[in-house]
Amino acid sequence: MPDYRNDPTLAIPAFPGSHLVLDDHYVFVSGLTVADIQGGESVMGDIGEETRWVMRRLARMLTYVGADVADTVRADVHLTNLDELRNMDAAYAEFFDHHRYPARTCTMTPRLYGGANVEITLMVRRRREAPDSND
């Protein structure tokens, strides 16, 4: 049965949804923008910094539920300007091991929540707990 959770450090979603949904195999993380993060407006307009802020928060959210950004299998990225793709890619790539990038879709969306320029959604494989050595 899925487990629906909200990150206690973020505002409760203004939409009918949860920040995180966990099942036996995956963590599904709702799209996140810097407008969702307190203080994020300070970096709005710099696509690299927006991406770093969002990715750092996503990593913390995953840690909160015992997962890791390194186990991301799929990402959806929405940009308000695809001409900024190289700058977003440079920041995004910092969060993954070289050549171990998740499958990804990147689209241009004319308007994102709160005036943000990037929104990122993740699907992350949950790590299996090591079997008890007493078994």
Side-chain angles (χ1 to χ4, degrees):
M1 181 126 137
D3 180 8
Y4 303 86
R5 297 190 193 180
N6 287 316
D7 182 325
T9 66
L10 292 174
I12 293 174
F15 59 90
S18 301
H19 293 135
L20 303 146
V21 176
L22 294 77
D23 71 10
D24 290 340
H25 303 286
Y26 295 95
V27 178
F28 302 91
V29 186
S30 288
L32 189 68
T33 71
V34 293
D36 297 310
I37 304 167
Q38 185 176 4
E41 64 279 353
S42 66
V43 298
M44 218 173 276
D46 180 329
I47 198 74
E49 282 307 303
E50 284 191 40
T51 301
R52 285 181 192 91
W53 269 59
V54 169
M55 289 300 296
R56 281 193 291 266
R57 180 52 61 101
L58 290 169
R60 281 194 302 211
M61 290 169 71
L62 291 169
T63 298
Y64 166 69
V65 295
D68 193 287
V69 74
D71 296 318
T72 301
V73 295
R74 178 169 173 78
D76 293 315
V77 178
H78 304 282
L79 299 173
T80 58
N81 182 354
L82 277 177
D83 292 339
E84 293 284 352
L85 182 61
R86 285 183 186 245
N87 294 326
M88 187 283 300
D89 277 341
Y92 172 88
E94 295 170 12
F95 292 85
F96 300 100
D97 291 334
H98 189 60
H99 296 296
R100 288 189 40 94
Y101 302 114
R104 188 180 90 185
T105 298
C106 186
T107 62
M108 188 162 112
T109 303
R111 192 169 138 201
L112 294 173
Y113 175 73
N117 296 291
V118 62
E119 180 174 10
I120 302 173
T121 303
L122 300 179
M123 181 176 156
V124 180
R125 179 87 172 157
R126 293 181 76 181
R127 293 183 177 190
R128 293 187 184 263
E129 291 186 23
D132 187 351
S133 60
N134 294 327
D135 289 341

